């Protein structure tokens, strides 16, 4: 099958780079997004997200006439849906969060209007098991004049597959091309055609499976990482109790040829690893003992950090009996969800800083070299300062993210301060 026009629905962190990759191969790409600002920015040859190298590729694609953005779908040969699949927030903390497929549903309903016999629809968004089949049902409900794999198997008019994205933010352009791709068609033909599509720009292998296994594979990758980080976080709490340096311990254990322990931190952030395990847990709650516990271990780590700061304040006041909490200056080093990025979404470092802002210390400082202003809810309670200014003014320094700038701080600058080092770079 040849693809003359490809449409990408959802022009965010995954959809836009994917659109750029197809367009860079001189294929006509129609990008669709409900956000008018994103559409206008892209049509002006610019990008509305932060991702290295992407701006140049988009400019070339738009200038060359290979990429245009719009707010509603137009006919194409293949549609790739890359919209958010968050979870529904729960009121009671003991409740299991459930996936929210409403963006997939509305994307499917809008694509259905322009579908024609022979088209391919791929769900790229990370999804709970069964979501691709559900998407196909939504499409079929809108278009009774067309046949779909759930009723017509290999003879269906429309091909459906799940091909999950697996790229690391900050390395998306390279990983989209080089990573192996999982291709989960609802039938063999669906898989074969989807693999042909990705082979336009993917240099990695396109490994074929069915839609449900592809969905579970993506969730398994991120859950595996969540469980491994939970092990490291649990070790850090155990070591703190036993007066052992967890970083040295992990380095030693990792000398074993078959051991590879990850790094502890202030908790797990971002919009993938802290979310995706819930998609498995909500489907099979009784079977998910380890995955569920790992989620809880990682989610509770920020609370442990707050307790460490409270103890540090008490230590400072007992050593400085003439002072009160109002005289203490605390600084948080790092707000992003991981090193060397500006992304604060679902960041444990940001949540810890927000909690500390309610404690009425004399001063609470934040150092985040990758942003120029604080989120609104912090701006009147916290001062955003430079590394050197925070080091000069603080009694207690809480290192939350291992940004490169913080690794360059000298031991001398940390003297006479109480240090809480969650990333093991100042210990
Ligand atoms: N983290 C630790 N210790 C570690 C590694 C990470 O505490 O040893 C923390 C980070 O600080 C961060 C969180 O985990 O808060 C997640 O960061 P990450 O770099 O592990 O992952 P993400 O969320 O940026 O991207 C992940 C990747 N998945 C895997 O590595 C299995 C990426 O390949 C996926 O495409 C992406 O999720 C996604 O979109 O699902």
């Amino acid at each position: 099958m040849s693809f003359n026009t490809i449409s990408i629905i959802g022009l965010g962190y995954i959809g836009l780079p994917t659109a750029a990759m197809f367009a860079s191969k001189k294929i006509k790409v129609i990008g669709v997004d409900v956000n008018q600002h994103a559409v206008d920015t892209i049509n002006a040859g610019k990008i509305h997200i932060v991702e290295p190298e992407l701006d140049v590729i988009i400019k070339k694609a738009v200038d060359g006439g290979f990429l245009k953005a719009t707010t509603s779908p137009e006919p194409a040969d293949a549609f790739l849906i890359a919209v958010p699949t968050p979870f529904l927030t729960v009121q009671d903390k003991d409740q299991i969060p459930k996936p929210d497929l409403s963006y997939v549903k509305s994307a499917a309903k809008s694509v259905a209007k322009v579908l024609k016999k022979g088209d391919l629809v791929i769900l790229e968004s990370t999804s709970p098991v069964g979501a691709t089949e559900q998407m196909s049902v939504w499409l079929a409900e809108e278009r009774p004049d067309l046949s779909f794999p759930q009723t017509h198997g290999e003879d269906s008019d429309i091909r459906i597959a799940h091909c999950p994205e697996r790229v690391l933010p900050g390395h998306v352009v390279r990983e989209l091309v080089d990573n192996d791709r999982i291709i989960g068609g609802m039938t063999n033909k669906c898989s074969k055609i989807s693999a042909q599509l990705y082979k336009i720009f993917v240099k990695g292998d396109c490994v074929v499976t069915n839609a449900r296994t592809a969905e579970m594979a993506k969730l398994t990758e991120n859950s595996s990482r969540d469980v491994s980080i939970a092990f490291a976080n649990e070790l850090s709490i155990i070591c703190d109790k036993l007066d052992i340096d967890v970083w040295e311990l992990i380095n030693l254990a990792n000398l074993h040829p078959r051991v590879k322990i990850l790094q502890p931190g202030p908790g797990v952030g971002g919009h993938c690893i802290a979310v995706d395990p819930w998609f498995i847990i909500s489907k099979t709650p009784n079977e998910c003992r380890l995955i569920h516990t790992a989620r809880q271990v990682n989610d509770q780590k920020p609370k442990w950090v707050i307790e460490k700061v409270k103890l540090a304040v008490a230590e400072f006041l007992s050593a400085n009996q003439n002072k009160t909490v109002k005289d203490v200056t605390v600084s948080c080093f790092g707000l992003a969800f991981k090193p060397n990025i500006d992304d604060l979404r679902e960041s444990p470092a940001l949540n810890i800083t927000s909690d500390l802002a309610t404690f009425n210390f004399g001063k609470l400082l934040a150092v985040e070299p990758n942003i120029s202003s604080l989120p609104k809810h912090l701006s009147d309670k916290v001062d955003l300062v430079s590394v050197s200014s925070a080091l000069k003014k603080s009694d207690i320094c809480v290192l939350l993210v291992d940004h490169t700038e913080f690794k360059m701080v000298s031991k001398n600058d940390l003297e006479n301060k109480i240090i809480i080092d969650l990333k093991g770079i100042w210990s």
Side-chain angles (χ1 to χ4, degrees):
M1 179 175 173
S2 67
F3 300 97
N4 295 319
T5 306
I6 296 170
S7 182
I8 315 285
I9 318 297
L11 298 171
Y13 281 88
I14 301 303
L16 185 59
T18 305
M21 288 303 135
F22 283 116
S24 73
K25 295 289 174 187
K26 303 201 180 316
I27 293 194
K28 188 177 163 205
V29 178
I30 301 169
V32 184
D33 203 291
V34 289
N35 177 348
Q36 185 69 51
H37 166 71
V39 166
D40 294 342
T41 309
I42 295 160
N43 284 334
K46 298 187 186 134
I47 60 175
H48 62 293
I49 57 172
V50 178
E51 184 59 46
E53 297 168 53
L54 185 62
D55 49 350
V56 179
I57 310 174
I58 290 290
K59 173 137 190 32
K60 209 169 157 195
V62 173
D63 288 352
F66 294 107
L67 172 64
K68 78 160 188 178
T70 120
T71 51
S72 54
E74 295 177 14
D77 305 312
F79 296 86
L80 280 76
I81 296 183
V83 294
T85 43
F87 51 53
L88 296 161
T89 42
V90 286
Q91 301 305 327
D92 172 0
K93 68 174 174 39
D94 294 329
Q95 260 181 322
I96 294 170
K98 296 215 173 352
D100 173 5
L101 291 181
S102 58
Y103 297 96
V104 176
K105 187 174 186 179
S106 70
K109 283 184 179 286
S110 69
V111 161
K113 294 191 181 88
V114 295
L115 274 187
K116 58 185 185 314
K117 187 175 168 151
D119 284 354
L120 169 67
V121 184
I122 294 179
L123 179 61
E124 277 213 5
S125 315
T126 304
S127 298
V129 172
T132 308
E133 292 159 2
Q134 174 63 69
M135 179 189 76
S136 196
V137 168
W138 285 325
L139 289 168
E141 281 168 4
E142 296 296 307
R143 292 298 299 269
D145 54 319
L146 293 168
S147 63
F148 289 81
Q150 63 271 26
T151 49
H152 289 69
E154 295 291 27
D155 298 326
S156 65
D157 293 334
I158 304 295
R159 315 282 174 212
I160 305 282
H162 179 61
C163 304
E165 61 80 16
R166 304 153 89 194
V167 287
L168 198 64
H171 302 267
V172 170
V173 169
R174 179 178 51 79
E175 289 210 351
L176 266 181
V177 175
D178 291 344
N179 286 4
D180 295 336
R181 192 94 207 192
I182 296 176
I183 309 285
M186 276 182 70
T187 68
N188 290 338
K189 253 190 214 164
C190 299
S191 295
K192 206 171 148 207
I193 293 167
S194 304
Q196 276 172 20
L197 176 79
Y198 284 103
K199 270 295 163 196
I200 292 173
F201 71 82
V202 171
K203 288 192 189 142
D205 289 341
C206 287
V207 185
V208 167
T209 180
N210 58 42
R212 294 176 78 84
T213 312
E215 289 161 343
M216 189 64 181
K218 168 66 199 249
L219 302 179
T220 300
E221 290 161 12
N222 282 353
S223 299
S224 154
R225 198 155 166 83
D226 198 41
V227 171
S228 301
I229 299 169
F231 181 66
N233 276 331
E234 187 162 291
L235 276 181
S236 72
I237 295 171
I238 294 168
C239 284
D240 186 69
K241 265 242 148 98
L242 299 180
D243 197 20
I244 291 170
D245 179 339
V246 69
W247 311 100
E248 185 192 0
L249 174 87
I250 291 174
N251 281 341
L252 291 173
N254 281 348
L255 293 176
H256 188 288
R258 285 175 296 282
V259 173
K260 182 79 194 84
I261 301 169
L262 293 180
Q263 303 299 303
V268 169
H271 7 277
C272 309
I273 297 197
V275 176
D276 299 356
W278 289 118
F279 289 7
I280 305 181
I281 301 164
S282 66
K283 276 264 169 201
T284 48
N286 296 332
E287 290 72 22
C288 281
R289 288 158 58 199
L290 184 61
I291 300 172
H292 197 168
T293 304
R295 232 2 4 264
Q296 289 166 331
V297 168
N298 287 333
D299 269 356
Q300 279 158 19
K301 191 72 190 284
K303 296 185 189 83
W304 183 83
V305 178
I306 299 283
E307 290 308 313
K308 294 301 286 179
V309 178
K310 283 191 197 164
L311 287 174
V313 172
E315 185 191 328
F316 176 81
L317 293 179
S318 93
N320 297 275
Q321 302 248 334
N322 55 335
K323 296 198 172 175
T324 71
V325 174
K326 283 276 167 215
D327 302 308
V328 183
T329 300
V330 176
S331 53
C332 294
F333 285 78
L335 296 176
F337 89 85
K338 64 179 194 175
N340 304 322
I341 57 166
D342 65 345
D343 195 340
L344 307 188
R345 289 175 298 168
E346 320 296 336
S347 168
L350 180 69
N351 292 340
I352 288 165
T353 308
S354 306
D355 271 7
L356 293 178
T358 63
F359 283 32
N360 295 320
F361 299 129
K363 267 233 168 295
L364 181 60
L365 311 175
V367 189
E368 179 43 79
N370 301 296
I371 60 170
S372 52
S373 61
L374 285 170
K376 256 201 190 103
H377 74 280
L378 285 185
S379 53
D380 57 338
K381 301 183 195 112
V382 182
D383 292 343
L384 183 66
V385 298
S386 67
V387 175
S388 58
S389 167
L391 287 171
K392 221 175 280 163
K393 294 178 186 159
S394 306
D395 305 304
I396 299 169
C397 297
V398 191
L399 189 283
L400 295 168
V401 187
D402 43 344
H403 288 315
T404 307
E405 291 85 346
F406 304 159
K407 291 183 179 167
M408 294 183 304
V409 169
S410 79
K411 288 257 178 301
N412 289 346
D413 289 333
L414 299 172
E415 256 171 31
N416 304 322
K417 298 180 189 310
I418 301 177
I419 306 296
I420 303 172
D421 179 1
L422 272 303
K423 292 308 297 181
I425 60 175
W426 289 351
S427 312

